[in-house]
Amino acid sequence: MLETKLPLRVGVGVIVLNSKNLVFVGRRADNPTDMWQMPQGGVEKNEYLLGAMKRELYEETSIKSIEVLKELDKWLEYELPKNLLGKIWKGQFRGQKQKWFIARYTGDESEINVNTKCPEFIDWKWIKMDELPKVAVHFKKQTYKKLLSELKKFID
């Protein structure tokens, strides 16, 4: 019953849109299959959510040129599959509880660089928003479907 005793990690994520409303996704360095995700990560102690989102975005993509358009009202959660429990996040968490943001990328694509100090992504691309659930790893698909729904409401 390890998984029920472990807490959820508090995290943030960001839907980065370009001028054509395409969504930024990165291919994770630790997942050899063709799975992609949006920038996300943990919130440090005493860190504001917005600050955590901007820090994570920069650490993973080198992106600084954004305009924050919206903070989503609801927190979204996902649980890790059993095979990952105890292996990631030093085995301290069973999944994540995340606050998500929508941001517009305002920079030049030359700013984007996933070859960072501690690279999480090995590649990146812009995709149509409807593709989000299709590119996500299986245990994040429901979260990405909810994010897609929120994004469509926001853009329409």
Side-chain angles (χ1 to χ4, degrees):
M1 295 316 266
L2 169 71
E3 61 270 12
T4 56
K5 292 182 181 172
L6 292 172
L8 290 171
R9 178 182 186 228
V10 176
V12 290
V14 59
I15 302 168
V16 178
L17 299 170
N18 69 10
S19 61
K20 297 174 185 163
N21 284 337
L22 296 175
V23 179
F24 177 94
V25 291
R27 188 158 55 122
R28 288 192 56 91
D30 61 2
N31 190 339
T33 60
D34 195 29
M35 297 289 109
W36 300 74
Q37 76 175 39
M38 293 177 284
Q40 60 182 60
V43 177
E44 295 174 0
K45 189 175 181 177
N46 299 321
E47 188 175 30
Y48 290 106
L49 296 173
L50 180 61
M53 178 275 285
K54 289 179 177 180
R55 176 187 51 75
E56 283 291 337
L57 179 62
Y58 179 73
E59 286 176 1
E60 294 178 7
T61 67
S62 306
I63 291 175
K64 283 188 174 179
S65 303
I66 60 166
E67 173 191 355
V68 178
L69 304 176
K70 181 174 177 59
E71 177 180 333
L72 298 185
D73 295 329
K74 295 179 183 170
W75 287 80
L76 298 178
E77 298 179 2
Y78 70 84
E79 304 275 336
L80 291 173
K82 289 191 187 319
N83 67 313
L84 292 180
L85 279 173
K87 294 185 178 156
I88 63 172
W89 305 315
K90 300 176 184 166
Q92 296 177 322
F93 305 99
R94 71 176 199 273
Q96 288 204 86
K97 172 184 177 179
Q98 300 173 308
K99 179 58 85 162
W100 280 83
F101 296 83
I102 300 173
R104 173 80 58 205
Y105 182 59
T106 59
D108 185 85
E109 286 197 359
S110 62
E111 177 181 330
I112 303 171
N113 178 13
V114 295
N115 188 16
T116 59
K117 184 178 172 186
C118 298
E120 289 195 34
F121 297 136
I122 54 173
D123 198 5
W124 67 273
K125 64 183 178 180
W126 299 103
I127 64 171
K128 293 178 181 170
M129 67 176 81
D130 289 328
E131 294 177 40
L132 279 171
K134 297 174 194 155
V135 302
V137 67
H138 71 281
F139 58 91
K140 293 182 184 176
K141 280 193 189 302
Q142 284 308 113
T143 299
Y144 275 41
K145 285 178 182 175
K146 290 175 185 172
L147 289 168
L148 176 58
S149 174
E150 291 294 321
L151 185 56
K152 284 183 170 183
K153 281 191 270 184
F154 178 75
I155 288 181
D156 287 347

